Amino acid sequence: MKSAELISKMTLQEKASLLSGGDFWHTQAIDRLGIKGYMMCDGPNGLRKQEGSPDHLGKKESIKTVCYPSANTLASSFDVDLEKKLGQSLGDECNREHISMLLGPGLNMKRSPVCGRNFEYFSEDPYLAGKLASAFVEGVQSKGVAACPKHFATNNQEYRRMSGNSIVDERTLHEIYLTAFEMLVKEAGPKSIMCAYNQLNGTYLSENKYMLTDVLRDKWGFDGFVVTDWGAGKGPAKGVEAGLDLVMPGGPKDHEKAIIAAVEAGELDEALVDKAVGRILDVFFWNDDNAPKDAAPSNEATSKADYELARELAENSAVLLKNNRVLPLKKDKKILFVGEFAKTPRYQGSGSSHINSICVSNALDAAADRGVSYVRGYDTSNTKDSYILREEAVQAAENADVIVIFAGLPASYESEGFDRDDINLPREQDKLIDDLAHTGKKVVVVLHNGGAVAMPWIDKVDAVLDMMLAGDAVGEATVRLLWGEANPSGKLAETYPIKLSDNPSFLNFPGEHGNPVYAEGIYIGYRYYEKKRMPVLFPFGHGLTYSEFEYSNISIDKDSITDQDTVNVSIDVWNVGRYAGKEVVQLYVSENAPRVSRPHKELKGFKKIELNPGESTRVTFTLDKRSFAYYDERLHDFYVPSDDYSIMVGASSADIRHTVQVHVEGTVDLPGNFITFTPIEDILENRKGKEILGPVIDKVLAANDQEGGNDESLGEAGKKMFEKMIKEMPVLSLASFGMMSVDDVQKLLDQINSVVE
Ligand code: BGC
């Protein structure tokens, strides 16, 4: 209401001025009408508020604050409550700093492990990404601050990210690349969405009406505003018509002038301008109404509390990939730390999410009172002779019981703006690990990485603790996890392949001239490796703890439902180990006899639980239509085929403990309008079609049998052969092979088409 009234008082120039920024981080103010400039800032793993000269690559100064673990790290926590807590904490900080909108979270899918920005994205699985992003957005917005999830959509590589054209088919787009955004819009109602730089199927996302209006608003019900990624604005009229609202950053007012010219030339309807202005103002007025005006500035106490949260997040996200009983470390053992990252850890990614940390803890200092010795082992700047550093490490190892090597990707390996060349660690680090593994001592590897890495030495080491990019509390969290004061509970949110060429996007990444064809379709991440039965280094959902969990008594409350119903699946989980700990109980679904290509299984539920030794709990999941659906291009929507489905519950995608079955009856029919060349089985898939054509086909099969048309020596198998052949033929074949006349086939089709929608 308030915005409508104001818009009615605005000149065209004033309205146009609101559709692009006032400067790099603010919207345009209109003093005459009392509209202020609202500030937005990067996150999402901390606040990058720039008070001096601005940039979108994280090179220039921003305020000092706490850096939280990056999204790839947090995703491994599989913990929606923690995501929400992080969102709330960032919302509070935004209020202390007078920020109206936080630019995050990033929820693009990890199509390739070498996308330079994977550390800012949650997962290769849309369900997991959607749930975590929703919790984060709920947290931020509960504080009256708008969240701005990004980058909508198919922005899955950095190479030519501003111009590339992602070629994606409709099913893959909706099933893999849009599902997380869809869940987020429907579950958390983000106030804004940032459209990506790139093109999708030949149209820039900032001008893509299908995406910004047909899908986002009309199909999903998004009611916030769409802002461009910084510098992604194109032709103003096309953008506004497509559903784009705000172009950022502000600059020499080109966009404003172009909007005015387009309206005056009759090329752009002023009513669309009004709509866009209204959508932007509604969000910022919501911020005025809901954010506290008197939040005190950040101080030592708030920073301390934020740092503690960063530690909690890091400890809950770390993934214990391997452990041959060497961890947790015993107090009486002589420990040698090796590696530059023990002193100067890699704890965040580079680019627009880069945080100016108040204080970063390192493992060496954090372990100062534990009698640890240290050698450097390698030099990320490559100025020291790596052979000499390795020799030093091997010598120092003589006096140690356990060697803990801090390895990982140097900052120059992964960043916004470019992709990694491969998934290898620096050669000197691989060699160092190899040399130390040959000393015969126990070897633990601690990793700092924003994405999957290869581990050619995996069979030679005793344990691997993957800290990923763990934020400011990295050192302290690592030490507490190593010595068992904290118990690892993270699970991989992305598959770690053995080598890069195993990845399904390998042949089409980054695409000719940066125009990737998503030829692997829906088969990204574990969906592909499982379907191809390919070995991987570590599967999706994998992660060990110091506890041990047993699963029993799986049950389902109905064995048959329609796709309009829900069904509950429950299972008992016991902590049978010696440590209190957390487990991520994962639920996967697969269709037993799909007629279209479907993955072996897909994540449709997860819950993180905490149990003391000897304690148990019953975990219940509720499944609905989407748990069983795939996206059918004939329907342009998600569709549940009538079939039996397996529901699998376990500790990782590769560690399923128990399975139950349910029959789901679809209630939606695929579109009809069958023609003489429609395959018989497509008509039978339609419920009305089956009612009419089913008996005809049964008669044909029976007649064939009676006439000795089946090879009797094959028995039932002979009948099945004929049935298969018939069902995949066009319905016209019933006439071509003399089973009925062409006229009768047409009459049958007319009858079916008259009752099918
Ligand atoms: C990034 C966005 C970021 C924006 C503002 C762009 O380059 O892609 O994620 O929010 O800059 O810094």
Side-chain angles (χ1 to χ4, degrees):
M1 281 316 288
K2 185 175 162 195
S3 60
E5 205 183 305
L6 280 171
I7 292 168
S8 69
K9 293 183 188 150
M10 283 178 199
T11 64
L12 174 62
Q13 183 274 325
E14 282 169 335
K15 291 184 220 176
S17 77
L18 287 174
L19 299 191
S20 52
D23 62 21
F24 207 84
W25 296 117
H26 292 84
T27 56
Q28 179 66 49
I30 305 181
D31 296 338
R32 181 179 81 84
L33 297 170
I35 300 173
K36 68 175 189 190
Y38 292 85
M39 186 168 193
M40 30 203 140
C41 265
D42 277 312
N45 53 303
L47 198 62
R48 191 170 72 95
K49 180 183 182 190
Q50 293 192 306
E51 290 174 324
S53 58
D55 75 320
H56 66 296
L57 288 173
K59 304 274 178 237
K60 297 188 181 156
E61 271 298 284
S62 54
I63 59 162
K64 276 203 172 296
T65 187
V66 171
C67 173
Y68 296 103
S70 53
N72 70 309
T73 315
L74 287 169
S76 316
S77 76
F78 276 66
D79 193 329
V80 285
D81 296 335
L82 276 182
E83 273 293 336
K84 191 164 180 183
K85 206 164 156 186
L86 171 61
Q88 288 164 340
S89 162
L90 281 166
D92 282 338
E93 192 175 7
C94 284
N95 286 330
R96 295 197 294 266
E97 295 294 339
H98 308 291
I99 308 298
S100 302
M101 184 160 96
L102 186 68
L103 304 176
L107 58 156
N108 297 90
M109 289 294 107
K110 295 179 201 244
R111 177 174 175 249
S112 164
V114 295
C115 167
R117 221 172 166 181
N118 270 0
F119 64 87
E120 268 194 77
Y121 302 140
F122 291 109
S123 182
E124 67 189 21
D125 181 86
Y127 179 86
L128 178 61
K131 284 285 170 204
L132 295 171
S134 298
F136 179 90
V137 168
E138 274 169 24
V140 173
Q141 295 194 165
S142 70
K143 302 292 178 173
V145 175
C148 180
K150 56 195 187 183
H151 310 88
F152 189 65
T154 66
N155 178 200
N156 308 97
Q157 64 189 51
E158 290 301 282
Y159 181 65
R160 299 205 178 179
R161 66 172 171 150
M162 296 188 175
S163 58
N165 182 16
S166 300
I167 311 287
V168 192
D169 66 79
E170 187 182 337
R171 176 178 175 195
T172 302
L173 180 65
H174 284 267
E175 213 167 300
I176 301 296
Y177 295 95
L178 295 188
T179 288
F181 284 101
E182 180 186 356
M183 287 168 71
L184 175 63
V185 167
K186 292 180 176 168
E187 290 178 23
K191 296 284 169 195
S192 178
I193 280 209
M194 185 188 291
C195 70
Y197 287 119
N198 53 292
Q199 306 170 57
L200 166 62
N201 297 330
T203 308
Y204 280 101
L205 266 315
S206 60
E207 303 185 329
N208 200 314
K209 180 169 173 298
Y210 175 70
M211 293 286 280
L212 303 189
T213 297
D214 302 351
V215 172
L216 185 61
R217 299 186 204 274
D218 296 348
K219 213 167 181 167
W220 300 347
F222 173 71
D223 62 359
F225 72 84
V226 177
V227 56
T228 60
D229 197 343
W230 266 228
K234 303 278 175 322
K238 268 195 184 172
V240 175
E241 267 161 16
L244 172 69
D245 303 301
L246 179 62
V247 168
M248 287 299 288
K253 303 205 181 300
D254 291 336
H255 188 74
E256 182 182 317
K257 288 180 208 152
I259 294 272
I260 296 171
V263 172
E264 285 175 350
E267 289 159 8
L268 177 62
D269 185 352
E270 193 167 346
L272 292 179
V273 174
D274 290 1
K275 257 194 184 172
V277 172
R279 290 194 287 240
I280 297 168
L281 289 181
D282 283 346
V283 168
F284 289 117
F285 292 162
W286 168 87
N287 167 247
D288 281 342
D289 292 344
N290 290 283
K293 311 223 161 13
D294 49 358
S298 302
N299 55 41
E300 220 175 287
T302 55
S303 304
K304 197 159 176 282
D306 290 350
Y307 178 87
E308 278 309 307
L309 175 60
R311 183 172 63 77
E312 189 186 354
L313 294 169
E315 289 176 4
N316 277 279
S317 303
V319 183
L320 182 59
L321 292 171
K322 175 174 179 176
N323 188 15
N324 279 348
R325 293 169 184 276
V326 61
L327 294 179
L329 297 171
K330 313 276 172 313
K331 291 224 163 61
D332 58 343
K333 296 286 180 205
K334 284 185 282 176
I335 310 292
L336 171 68
F337 277 8
V338 182
E340 214 179 271
F341 286 164
K343 248 186 168 170
T344 47
R346 173 109 194 291
Y347 67 99
Q348 67 167 324
S350 309
S352 61
S353 65
H354 192 269
I355 298 303
N356 187 3
S357 293
I358 297 182
C359 116
V360 183
S361 73
N362 69 68
L364 197 55
D365 286 349
D369 54 356
R370 296 174 198 243
V372 167
S373 49
Y374 172 74
V375 282
R376 186 163 175 187
Y378 59 85
D379 167 28
T380 49
S381 62
N382 286 326
T383 44
K384 293 255 172 343
D385 186 323
S386 55
Y387 176 76
I388 293 174
L389 291 172
R390 279 202 304 280
E391 281 300 292
E392 263 172 32
V394 170
Q395 268 175 30
E398 278 176 24
N399 297 321
D401 299 317
V402 182
I403 311 164
V404 182
I405 308 167
F406 290 76
L409 297 172
S412 60
Y413 274 51
E414 49 183 354
S415 167
E416 175 176 339
F418 63 87
D419 298 311
R420 275 194 284 165
D421 294 333
D422 52 41
I423 57 169
N424 301 334
L425 292 178
R427 249 163 62 90
E428 55 281 4
Q429 291 192 25
D430 276 342
K431 276 188 172 169
L432 173 75
I433 298 171
D434 213 68
D435 284 1
L436 289 170
H438 279 101
T439 59
K441 303 286 171 141
K442 296 270 181 214
V443 171
V444 176
V445 177
V446 171
L447 289 173
H448 298 300
N449 49 319
V453 291
M455 302 178 205
W457 32 259
I458 189 67
D459 294 331
K460 302 178 195 159
V461 303
D462 297 284
V464 180
L465 176 65
D466 195 352
M467 294 301 296
M468 309 193 179
L469 300 179
D472 280 356
V474 53
E476 234 179 287
T478 308
V479 165
R480 282 170 45 81
L481 287 160
L482 285 174
W483 270 270
E485 285 134 37
N487 188 352
S489 62
K491 303 270 186 173
L492 284 184
E494 64 183 294
T495 311
Y496 279 16
I498 294 170
K499 52 188 189 308
L500 178 60
S501 57
D502 290 348
N503 179 262
S505 72
F506 183 71
L507 295 177
N508 293 291
F509 187 98
E512 299 301 330
H513 315 295
N515 301 326
V517 179
Y518 288 36
E520 69 287 352
I522 57 164
Y523 291 104
I524 76 165
Y526 68 92
R527 287 168 168 75
Y528 174 79
Y529 299 115
E530 289 198 339
K531 191 84 176 177
K532 292 276 287 184
R533 297 179 201 285
M534 276 171 82
V536 296
L537 180 58
F538 292 108
F540 176 84
H542 167 78
L544 309 171
T545 80
Y546 300 148
S547 329
E548 213 183 303
F549 297 99
E550 272 182 17
Y551 292 60
S552 58
N553 296 329
I554 192 165
S555 69
I556 185 159
D557 65 353
K558 291 164 210 143
D559 45 22
S560 182
I561 57 166
T562 76
D563 64 9
Q564 300 302 300
D565 306 324
T566 57
V567 63
N568 293 319
V569 176
S570 304
I571 195 158
D572 286 337
V573 184
W574 287 79
N575 182 350
V576 295
R578 286 187 296 127
Y579 291 83
K582 293 184 183 173
E583 171 69 322
V584 179
V585 185
Q586 301 164 41
L587 181 147
Y588 297 85
V589 174
S590 84
E591 187 187 343
N592 288 3
R595 284 199 53 219
V596 297
S597 182
R598 297 190 75 173
H600 272 324
K601 65 166 103 70
E602 296 179 90
L603 185 76
K604 297 294 172 185
F606 61 90
K607 279 204 177 139
K608 191 153 192 178
I609 52 165
E610 185 165 17
L611 292 173
N612 286 317
E615 207 184 346
S616 78
T617 189
R618 192 151 181 82
V619 179
T620 297
F621 299 93
T622 302
L623 304 179
D624 63 11
K625 177 176 175 184
R626 278 299 278 272
S627 315
F628 304 100
Y630 74 90
Y631 185 94
D632 194 293
E633 294 196 358
R634 293 165 291 181
L635 198 63
H636 303 295
D637 207 347
F638 283 87
Y639 167 71
V640 179
S642 299
D643 200 351
D644 294 335
Y645 291 79
S646 300
I647 300 169
M648 295 159 263
V649 181
S652 98
S653 63
D655 184 8
I656 297 303
R657 304 290 178 87
H658 296 279
T659 302
V660 279
Q661 302 289 322
V662 67
H663 179 81
V664 186
E665 198 56 36
T667 58
V668 174
D669 268 329
L670 293 169
N673 205 10
F674 301 118
I675 56 168
T676 47
F677 289 104
T678 305
I680 290 169
E681 60 187 4
D682 284 4
I683 302 177
L684 294 177
E685 199 179 9
N686 183 289
R687 285 172 307 162
K688 298 262 172 50
K690 193 173 176 182
E691 259 170 52
I692 298 168
L693 184 62
V696 177
I697 299 300
D698 287 346
K699 260 196 215 156
V700 169
L701 296 176
N704 179 64
D705 199 28
Q706 269 171 17
E707 287 156 16
N710 294 322
D711 182 340
E712 272 175 30
S713 66
L714 297 176
E716 274 304 305
K719 282 190 195 170
K720 282 251 153 58
M721 272 170 67
F722 184 69
E723 187 178 338
K724 268 194 183 168
M725 284 191 253
I726 283 284
K727 286 188 174 168
E728 63 195 52
M729 285 179 184
V731 65
L732 183 62
S733 306
L734 294 174
S736 320
F737 294 109
M739 298 162 207
M740 56 173 64
S741 69
V742 174
D743 272 0
D744 285 345
V745 170
Q746 193 54 55
K747 272 188 208 145
L748 202 62
L749 280 178
D750 291 346
Q751 194 192 346
I752 296 171
N753 283 331
S754 70
V755 290
V756 165
E757 311 220 325

